[in-house]
Amino acid sequence: MNDGRSPRSLIARFLPGLAQLADAGRGAPGGDFAAGAAVAIVMIPSVLAYSELLGVAPELGLYSALGAMAGYALFASSRKCIVGPDTTVALLAASAIAPLASGDPVRAAALAAALAIMSGTLLLLASRFDLGAVADLLSKPVLAGYANGAALILVASQLASLLGVPIPRDAFFHKLIDAVAALPHAHLPTLALGLGLVALLLLLRTYAPRAPGALVGVVVGILVAQLFGLPEKGLAMLRPLPPGLPGPALPAVSLADVRALVPGAIALAFLVFAEGIVLAQTLAARRREPVDANAELAALGIANATSGALGGYSVGASGSRSITADAAGGRSQLAQWVALALLVAFMLWLAPLIGRLPRVALAAILIVAGIGMLDFTALRLLARLDRRALRLSLAVSGGVLVLGVLPGVLLGIALSVARVMIETARPGDALLRRRPNDKHFHDLDVEETGDSPPGVLVYRLYAPLIFANARHVAARLRCLIEHGRPPIRCLVLDMQAVTHIDVTAAEVLVALHDELQAAGIDVRFARANRPLRAQLTRWLEDHEIARERFFPSAHAAVDDYLQQEARRENGPG
């Protein structure tokens, strides 16, 4: 009998990622081993490139992946997600630390580690208080807008490495102008190799999408540089990486630095969880596997905190690596442990070989990653389904390009909240009508034939009735009653779509009820759910209204009113 206190149950409860290893061991783990090897091959060149974005030493990308995978694989509920440095997360982190680092790679490393620990702590706190739904503030239009804006910034950020000459200004449009001006002074061997690698990676992405493009780019870059003696001709090379594993340490930052990093940590927490849970749910849906959003919050928080403690930077769920693992047959977090073991082996014995890698090869990898981030499909879908969402997405992209990555994300969150508030404050509604030979009331299209009995108004609100919209709804009802012909004598409020009413809205509704009752208008409620009926009854019990004013349907309320009117006109007989 399992009472929930057995070692296996405790591991499954507190270390769900570790519990997956037992399940993997009972099956055929070959798929996980192949998936882990594929992930390691794809990952190592990529994480070196992301360090370039943050202006830190290349080995910090390896440290980030090491800490992130070890932390996440213990606590994740997702069986398929692979974490580590990622393009969108690295861009956002870079925008948060760049103003404080002032080009100093040592200070940038300390700030990046502190930022990772801070965002990880926020994610852990959010999991403790069940705040996973807050990440929904980064809606699909916001995420698509951020991705498109960040993709263009990513490509622009690599133009100096591609040209082999410095570009002084950092703003996106200034960088484009400076790149065009610097083109006649470009270092031709660097530019030729960079463009060739970009073309090669794009061809692989198009015609061999499963090929490890980043690894191919690295190998080709090393071979070409050595065969043609390009380092002797001025081609910039990476310095050899120090072999060995990092030790845990707290970053050397001041309290003022921590305060300055707070907005970036909040934005990163939003982005990391929003992207992570979407990816985890997408991968799990294919095999109907469960995903615990709260466990994912905690796992992503621990991944970031562990990365920062090892001197790394912010991490997130990697779509490319997760899809690679899934396509290679990965079934559990065992694939991530295998990739972690191969990463450790690389860091111990092969890290110095990175000194043979041209810096422009990493620039080519990032440029192609930026091109791959451009999501025109999402824009076309938004244009077809929701023009307001399209405008929101384009506004976020514009904010990222003009204001910067971090202000652009914060702008997207603010616009999402503003849009929700506006839609809540001005909700949809309808005047219900009967079709010919149909006693029921419906929200009919304009061209459909239908009517309501003379003097009867049946109104439906498509939103909760709260402080933000109550006065608007009351004004709307007064206007409809004022313009009703013949004069309105009965108002039926169809409450089918009203889930709840807050205190402010209840006061407004009570005042409207008394006002209409004094004007001789019969106010009735239809299709109110049980909690709503109880709430309205409490609020209206002292306002000459009885429980008989609540009806199971709009047509029942209208028919009862018409019968009362008929009895009144015909007399007691």
Side-chain angles (χ1 to χ4, degrees):
M1 180 176 179
N2 186 357
D3 61 356
R5 297 182 181 179
S6 68
R8 180 180 176 83
S9 298
L10 290 174
I11 290 174
R13 179 179 178 186
F14 295 106
L15 298 171
L18 186 61
Q20 294 180 29
L21 298 185
D23 299 334
R26 291 200 300 267
D32 282 323
F33 281 100
V39 168
I41 290 171
V42 170
M43 172 185 61
I44 292 173
S46 301
V47 300
L48 295 172
Y50 297 137
S51 297
E52 293 285 301
L53 286 180
L54 282 91
V56 298
E59 61 266 23
L60 297 190
L62 301 175
Y63 299 169
S64 301
L66 179 70
M69 289 196 294
Y72 181 83
L74 287 172
F75 297 92
S77 67
S78 169
R79 303 181 70 86
K80 300 294 184 66
C81 267
I82 306 293
V83 299
D86 191 60
T87 312
T88 54
V89 175
L91 272 171
L92 183 51
S95 72
I97 68 173
L100 303 175
S102 302
D104 181 353
V106 175
R107 178 159 166 74
L111 292 168
L115 183 63
I117 293 173
M118 290 170 64
S119 60
T121 303
L122 289 175
L123 288 167
L124 284 170
L125 289 174
S127 72
R128 177 66 179 82
F129 293 102
D130 297 328
L131 298 179
V134 175
D136 292 338
L137 292 175
L138 281 176
S139 59
K140 175 64 177 178
V142 173
L143 287 173
Y146 166 68
N148 287 326
L152 295 174
I153 286 181
L154 174 57
V155 173
S157 70
Q158 299 307 303
L159 292 177
S161 297
L162 183 66
L163 296 174
V165 294
I167 294 178
R169 294 188 289 182
D170 291 328
F172 173 74
F173 293 105
H174 290 161
K175 195 177 289 289
L176 293 182
I177 295 170
D178 292 346
V180 172
L183 191 58
H185 311 290
H187 184 251
L188 293 181
T190 300
L191 180 59
L193 178 58
L195 292 177
L197 290 175
V198 168
L200 173 63
L201 294 176
L202 289 175
L203 288 173
L204 288 175
R205 179 186 289 272
T206 304
Y207 297 106
R210 292 194 175 185
L215 180 63
V216 172
V218 166
V219 172
V220 171
I222 292 174
L223 291 176
V224 171
Q226 299 304 317
L227 286 175
F228 292 95
L230 297 183
E232 291 76 19
K233 298 178 181 179
L235 181 69
M237 309 293 287
L238 294 180
R239 63 172 177 79
L241 301 185
L245 301 177
L250 289 176
V253 293
S254 66
L255 184 59
D257 292 331
V258 172
R259 287 196 296 266
L261 290 173
V262 167
I266 294 173
L268 272 168
F270 273 114
L271 180 64
V272 167
F273 181 62
E275 289 192 332
I277 194 63
V278 168
L279 179 61
Q281 291 173 342
T282 301
L283 294 172
R286 299 177 182 178
R287 298 188 181 182
R288 298 182 179 178
E289 296 168 343
V291 173
D292 185 338
N294 221 39
E296 288 302 299
L297 259 178
L300 290 167
I302 291 169
N304 275 275
T306 310
S307 171
L310 293 182
Y313 44 81
S314 300
V315 297
S318 170
S320 60
R321 276 163 253 158
S322 301
I323 294 170
T324 296
D326 189 43
R331 300 185 304 113
S332 71
Q333 285 297 324
L334 177 59
Q336 190 144 229
W337 287 111
V338 172
L340 178 60
L342 293 174
L343 174 62
V344 169
F346 175 84
M347 295 171 66
L348 289 175
W349 297 299
L350 299 177
L353 295 179
I354 295 301
R356 298 178 177 270
L357 179 62
R359 186 176 295 275
V360 73
L362 298 184
I365 292 171
L366 290 174
I367 288 172
V368 173
I371 294 172
M373 282 173 59
L374 292 170
D375 195 351
F376 296 116
T377 302
L379 294 181
R380 286 195 295 269
L381 182 64
L382 293 176
R384 183 166 59 89
L385 299 179
D386 189 344
R387 291 280 180 168
R388 286 184 295 180
L390 174 64
R391 289 193 290 270
L392 172 62
S393 185
L394 294 175
V396 173
S397 296
V400 167
L401 294 177
V402 175
L403 304 175
V405 176
L406 177 56
V409 172
L410 297 178
L411 173 66
I413 294 173
L415 290 176
S416 292
V417 173
R419 183 186 177 192
V420 170
M421 292 303 298
I422 290 171
E423 291 180 351
T424 303
R426 296 296 180 266
D429 59 7
L431 295 181
L432 307 187
R433 296 174 292 155
R434 280 173 166 164
R435 293 190 180 97
N437 303 317
D438 183 358
K439 67 178 181 178
H440 297 283
F441 284 83
H442 305 277
D443 182 359
L444 302 179
D445 292 335
V446 176
E447 62 271 12
E448 287 190 83
T449 302
D451 58 17
S452 184
V456 175
L457 181 68
V458 184
Y459 176 85
R460 177 184 293 167
L461 177 68
Y462 288 111
L465 194 59
I466 60 174
F467 69 96
N469 60 29
R471 291 178 177 81
H472 168 76
V473 172
R476 169 97 166 119
L477 286 169
R478 291 189 185 97
C479 181
L480 292 171
I481 291 170
E482 180 182 349
H483 293 88
R485 295 294 180 269
I488 300 300
R489 308 305 303 167
C490 175
L491 170 65
V492 177
L493 297 175
D494 186 309
M495 311 295 283
Q496 176 186 8
V498 179
T499 54
H500 70 277
I501 300 177
D502 70 7
V503 174
T504 303
E507 290 180 344
V508 173
L509 185 60
V510 168
L512 179 66
H513 166 268
D514 292 348
E515 174 189 329
L516 297 180
Q517 189 180 50
I521 298 174
D522 191 340
V523 180
R524 297 169 175 237
F525 300 91
R527 303 187 73 176
N529 59 57
R530 183 182 56 77
L532 193 60
R533 287 199 307 273
Q535 187 179 10
L536 287 171
T537 300
R538 286 196 304 271
W539 277 97
L540 294 167
E541 61 184 355
D542 297 328
H543 294 263
E544 301 180 19
I545 185 168
R547 297 178 67 88
E548 290 78 11
R549 290 300 175 188
F550 295 92
F551 296 85
S553 63
H555 77 83
V558 172
D559 291 347
D560 181 76
Y561 167 75
L562 295 177
Q563 291 171 10
Q564 287 188 11
E565 288 297 295
R567 287 196 294 269
R568 187 179 297 112
E569 291 179 4
N570 296 331

